[in-house]
DNA sequence: GCATGATCATGC
DNA sequence: GCATGATCATGC
């Protein structure tokens, strides 16, 4: 290519990239894209690389801009409810080569050689437009803050450990904090060999979690509005070699065995135990104020970036959670148009959770223990059946099985008694709280139906999370 | 006593 | 008005 930029100068490369802001690929590359055989298919990143930067397509282990150590990454944006740009997806950083990585250390890994310094180009995705007409909104370079890098290294090592144990097929995005192993390839069906097991494993890629990418965006555009507290600052006071999770648990332990009343007293909180969410609120304050030593109003940066969801559980004396665990209601029209790989339920199942277990003892709630957890991959595959059945029932308009004399509905959705992990039940304010149906219900002719959601079975929580 | 359907309370 | 977290009601 001509001398649009100097490939030996990092500033030159970045400045050239910054000129993309506000433009589309068509505007930025002139006619060269069409004249080079662009067929309407392809990927935004490749087109940008070829036609704007003049780099031939490659799948090298080195960064795209080799001489200055910069790796070009493009990623779509969406507009969130507040009208701000946020990442539409996780940021994929390259396929995991199961056969090779077990010989690498993080510092010498091909992952780190390639991805230590990123040149990021974010464009606004619009399903009504040709990708040549997407507007490029955010451009910037990115290096990991040293505190994040420690965690990313831990994440990378955990992924490697699983491969070394012959468990590449059990990898899940929820295993790790910032750097995830996401499925990659046609509907997750791409199977690869792994070195220490004869079981073939779904192809996966290193990726930064969507929430982490949002923080990168806020950082690049200098638009961070939330005020965060950091666990890591507490960590340094304890023992810098401990992980975020170890520190959180260590800080919780002094409260084990204490009652909600005692904890409230320590926190200086009044308890309104008529409010259904008082325990969740108390837990939240406990985490921020007492355990992490930050202001209760602040969000915890690491939990945000790592997409960690806190769940408060009340156990009965026999260790069974008093209730099943609900998630957000699904939209009938949306769920039937999703692939499993991009489905909301898979997102729920691949997340990492922090469970806070309280137990009833002599009518008092006692903090028993806390546990970071994510669903094992094989269980996710099992729970997938519940999703598939649900989608099929909605597609067939076969939701209602019968209506009793009081108007109470019985559905064909997957039941708890037939499924070990998860089931489907209503999750609505009342029966008038509905979502539209894609096709009318065969039995009742109704075109909308009470909101439902996936629930995690309480006996699964007892056996697979609390007792394990 | 549990499974399943239905609804409540709060905060943003 | 809705998402979130949770509990209630009933019949088998």
């Amino acid at each position: 290519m001509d001398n649009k930029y100097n490939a030996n100068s990092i500033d030159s490369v970045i400045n050239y990239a910054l000129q993309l802001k506000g433009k589309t690929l068509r505007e930025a590359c002139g006619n060269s894209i069409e004249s080079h055989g662009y067929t309407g298919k392809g990927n935004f990143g490749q087109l940008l690389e070829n036609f704007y930067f003049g780099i031939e397509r490659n799948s090298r282990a080195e960064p795209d801009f080799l001489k200055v150590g910069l790796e070009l990454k493009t990623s779509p944006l969406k507009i969130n409810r507040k009208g701000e740009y946020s990442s539409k997806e996780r940021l994929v950083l390259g396929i995991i080569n199961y056969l090779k990585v077990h010989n690498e250390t993080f510092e010498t890994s091909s992952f780190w050689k390639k991805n230590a310094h990123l040149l990021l180009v974010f464009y606004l995705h619009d399903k009504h437009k040709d990708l040549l007409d997407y507007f490029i909104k955010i451009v910037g370079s990115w290096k990991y803050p040293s505190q994040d890098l420690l965690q990313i290294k831990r994440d990378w090592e955990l992924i490697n450990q699983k491969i070394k144990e012959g468990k590449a097929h059990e990898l899940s995005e929820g295993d790790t904090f910032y750097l995830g192993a996401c499925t990659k390839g046609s509907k997750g069906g791409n199977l690869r060999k792994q070195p220490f097991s004869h079981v073939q494993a779904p192809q996966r890629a290193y990726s930064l979690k969507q929430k982490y990418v949002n923080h990168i965006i806020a950082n690049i555009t200098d638009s961070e509005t939330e005020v965060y507290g950091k666990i890591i600052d507490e960590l340094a006071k304890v023992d810098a070699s401990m992980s975020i999770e170890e520190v959180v648990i260590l800080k919780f332990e002094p409260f084990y065995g204490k009652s909600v009343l005692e904890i409230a007293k320590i926190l200086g909180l009044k308890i309104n135990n008529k409010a259904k969410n008082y325990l969740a609120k108390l837990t939240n304050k406990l985490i921020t104020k007492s355990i992490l030593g930050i202001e209760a109003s602040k969000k915890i940066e690491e939990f945000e970036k790592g997409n960690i969801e806190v769940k408060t559980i009340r156990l009965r004396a026999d260790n069974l959670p008093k209730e099943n665990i609900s998630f957000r209601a699904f939209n009938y029209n949306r769920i039937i148009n999703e692939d499993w790989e991009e489905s909301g339920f898979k997102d729920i199942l691949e997340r990492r959770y922090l469970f806070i277990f309280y137990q009833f003892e002599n009518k008092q709630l006692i903090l028993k223990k806390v546990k970071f957890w994510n669903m094992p991959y094989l269980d996710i595959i099992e729970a997938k059946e519940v999703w598939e059945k649900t989608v099929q029932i909605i597609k067939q308009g076969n939701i209602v099985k019968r209506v009793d004399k009081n108007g109470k509905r019985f559905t064909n959705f997957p039941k708890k008694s037939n499924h070990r992990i998860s089931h489907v039940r209503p999750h609505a304010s009342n029966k008038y709280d509905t979502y539209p149906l894609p096709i009318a219900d065969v039995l009742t002719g109704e075109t909308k139906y009470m909101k439902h959601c996936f629930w995690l079975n309480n006996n699964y929580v007892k056996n697979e999370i609390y007792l394990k």
Side-chain angles (χ1 to χ4, degrees), chain A residues 60-86:
Chain A
R60 281 192 311 243
E62 294 99 31
D64 297 315
F65 301 97
L66 185 55
K67 291 180 179 157
V68 294
L70 266 183
E71 172 73 1
L72 179 67
K73 285 288 164 196
T74 61
S75 198
L77 298 169
K78 60 182 181 181
I79 294 179
N80 68 18
R81 271 186 299 173
K82 291 182 197 162
E84 302 157 340
Y85 294 127
S86 68

Side-chain angles (χ1 to χ4, degrees), chain A residues 18-19 26 43-44 46 51 54 105 120 158 171 185 236 246-247 249 287 292 335 344 353 355-356 392 397 404 412 421:
Chain A
L18 285 169
Q19 293 171 32
R26 202 186 296 278
N43 111 10
F44 193 95
Q46 278 167 17
F51 297 111
T105 60
L120 296 167
L158 191 142
L171 281 167
E246 286 166 343
V247 168
I249 290 168
I287 294 173
L292 304 175
I335 197 172
Y353 291 88
F355 280 95
I356 318 284
Q392 195 189 22
D404 78 2
N412 290 306
I421 298 172

Side-chain angles (χ1 to χ4, degrees), chain A residues 151-363:
Chain A
Q151 184 58 46
I152 283 172
K153 182 182 172 198
R154 275 182 212 282
D155 292 340
W156 185 92
E157 286 171 345
L158 191 142
I159 293 167
N160 231 12
Q161 187 57 36
K162 262 188 140 164
I163 295 167
K164 286 178 184 173
E165 289 169 3
K167 293 180 177 170
H169 57 294
E170 294 180 18
L171 281 167
S172 163
E173 219 172 344
D175 289 343
T176 49
F177 248 72
Y178 298 157
L179 184 71
C182 70
T183 49
K184 181 76 181 155
S186 55
K187 300 186 177 176
N190 261 352
L191 292 174
R192 293 282 187 107
K193 284 186 178 164
Q194 58 173 316
F196 303 110
S197 165
H198 61 276
V199 182
Q200 294 214 315
Q203 171 170 283
R204 286 181 182 267
Y206 296 110
S207 60
L208 294 173
K209 305 238 178 131
Q210 188 178 356
K211 289 277 177 92
Y212 189 88
V213 179
N214 285 341
H215 278 261
I216 295 181
I217 290 170
N219 201 293
I220 290 179
T221 58
D222 209 16
S223 62
E224 190 67 86
T225 49
E226 293 278 0
V227 182
Y228 292 99
K230 289 187 179 189
I231 298 172
I232 209 95
D233 292 341
E234 284 297 301
L235 189 146
K237 290 180 204 161
V238 188
D239 176 351
S241 72
M242 290 180 85
S243 70
I244 293 167
E245 298 191 356
E246 286 166 343
V247 168
V248 170
I249 290 168
L250 186 80
K251 292 265 187 172
F252 258 107
E253 277 167 350
F255 293 88
Y256 285 6
K258 289 205 189 316
S259 73
V260 165
L261 282 175
E262 287 170 304
I263 292 170
K265 201 172 172 189
I266 293 166
L267 294 173
L269 269 182
K270 278 184 191 165
I271 291 198
N272 168 16
N273 56 12
K274 277 186 188 139
K276 285 187 176 183
N277 64 350
Y278 82 90
L279 195 62
K281 278 177 76 173
L282 177 107
T283 302
N284 202 24
K285 290 249 163 92
L286 180 62
I287 294 173
T288 52
K289 196 174 166 190
S290 264
I291 292 184
L292 304 175
I294 57 186
E295 284 171 43
S297 59
K298 287 184 183 171
K299 289 188 175 176
I300 302 162
E301 183 167 318
E302 290 88 346
F303 283 12
E304 280 277 301
K305 289 197 288 198
N307 201 16
I308 307 298
E309 185 156 328
V310 179
K311 289 281 186 193
T312 310
I313 309 292
R314 293 157 167 83
L315 298 169
R316 307 189 314 195
D318 62 357
N319 294 333
L320 189 72
K322 198 164 157 284
E323 307 289 341
N324 304 294
I325 297 169
S326 64
F327 299 99
R328 58 181 298 185
F330 50 75
N331 175 313
Y332 299 112
N333 278 299
R334 213 171 293 153
I335 197 172
I336 62 157
N337 287 312
E338 283 174 342
D339 284 331
W340 166 249
E341 287 300 325
E342 53 171 37
S343 68
F345 192 43
K346 181 169 183 264
D347 256 9
I348 287 169
L349 299 182
E350 285 222 353
R351 283 184 91 160
R352 193 152 183 80
Y353 291 88
L354 173 58
F355 280 95
I356 318 284
F357 291 105
Y358 294 87
Q359 189 161 38
F360 290 100
E361 283 177 13
N362 303 321
K363 301 203 171 172

